[in-house]
Amino acid sequence: MDALTSGTMAGTGSFRCENCGYVVTLAATETLGACPSCGQKDYARASLFAAGRFQRRAAAGLSEHDELMARARELTHPEVTAHVAFLDGEDLRVVPLAAETTRIGRTLSAEIRFDDPTVSRRHALLVRREDGLHVLDDRSLNGVFVDGERVSSRPLVDGDEIVVGRHRLLVLVDDTLEQPALVDAGLSGSSAS
């Protein structure tokens, strides 16, 4: 039993890197080596249903969330009132949500695409309605989480964090601007880096 909680033999299950949030899944006889994302060896058992399972340690001063939100605001499109931002490797991508519906998934037809087995082909939808922006789980295997809570549908507000597979998306909504007509102005799916 000690081999399951200490040393490099971790046992079957998922383990989250405490440094970067990368999740590694092991079979019974595999060993837990360095994190493929950051090279560290500091892991904790991961659960798809644990709140905050992908949150990284906060840096001194601003939290990582606040720092990313500030950087993302500088990259938003001025004529679009809703955006999502996420890290693509080391690059911060900001996607304007100009269309009525934006698909998130592994399929090539998704406007926000993650080529990652933790993301379902059709994972989630971001839908602009008269009453604001909403996220809908599109029958995903691993679920959609908003601020650590698994949801099937939920209205979103500025600063919310959506987790899809092992990817975190930050919601940026500018309620001070008048909502434009819900037309695809050729902005959906584009990004700024």
Side-chain angles (χ1 to χ4, degrees):
M1 185 68 163
D2 288 334
L4 297 179
T5 58
S6 64
T8 58
M9 177 119 160
T12 302
S14 295
F15 300 85
R16 176 183 34 84
C17 175
E18 290 288 293
N19 184 53
C20 72
Y22 190 89
V23 176
V24 176
T25 303
L26 301 179
T29 59
E30 294 178 315
T31 58
L32 193 55
C35 174
S37 178
C38 71
Q40 299 294 315
K41 294 184 179 182
D42 188 16
Y43 288 95
R45 282 220 176 255
S47 167
L48 286 176
F49 307 103
R53 70 192 188 286
F54 296 113
Q55 292 178 356
R56 300 175 183 167
R57 294 183 181 150
L62 288 177
S63 70
E64 180 190 19
H65 179 274
D66 292 340
E67 182 183 326
L68 288 174
M69 288 291 290
R71 285 177 50 204
R73 285 193 200 291
E74 295 174 3
L75 301 172
T76 60
H77 193 283
E79 296 176 12
V80 181
T81 60
H83 297 76
V84 290
F86 57 93
L87 289 173
D88 185 6
E90 295 296 317
D91 297 327
L92 180 63
R93 287 191 58 206
V94 177
V95 179
L97 304 176
E100 185 174 350
T101 302
T102 303
R103 291 168 291 204
I104 302 172
R106 205 174 66 234
T107 181
L108 293 174
S109 64
E111 287 85 11
I112 301 174
R113 183 173 181 271
F114 296 109
D115 189 15
D116 181 332
T118 65
V119 176
S120 296
R121 283 181 181 84
R122 294 173 42 183
H123 203 107
L125 297 169
L126 296 172
V127 180
R128 293 182 56 173
R129 298 181 182 160
E130 287 185 19
D131 64 341
L133 184 65
H134 294 255
V135 65
L136 308 172
D137 188 333
D138 197 11
R139 298 171 292 194
S140 68
L141 180 62
N142 291 333
V144 174
F145 295 79
V146 176
D147 296 334
E149 179 183 336
R150 188 171 185 162
V151 299
S152 58
S153 174
R154 183 178 207 169
L156 297 169
V157 297
D158 189 65
D160 277 348
E161 179 180 276
I162 304 168
V163 175
V164 172
R166 67 173 151 233
H167 302 275
R168 299 181 315 153
L169 297 94
L170 301 177
V171 176
L172 297 105
V173 178
D174 186 354
D175 293 329
T176 62
L177 298 176
E178 186 177 322
Q179 292 286 335
L182 296 177
V183 296
D184 187 358
L187 300 171
S188 180
S190 66
S191 66
S193 322

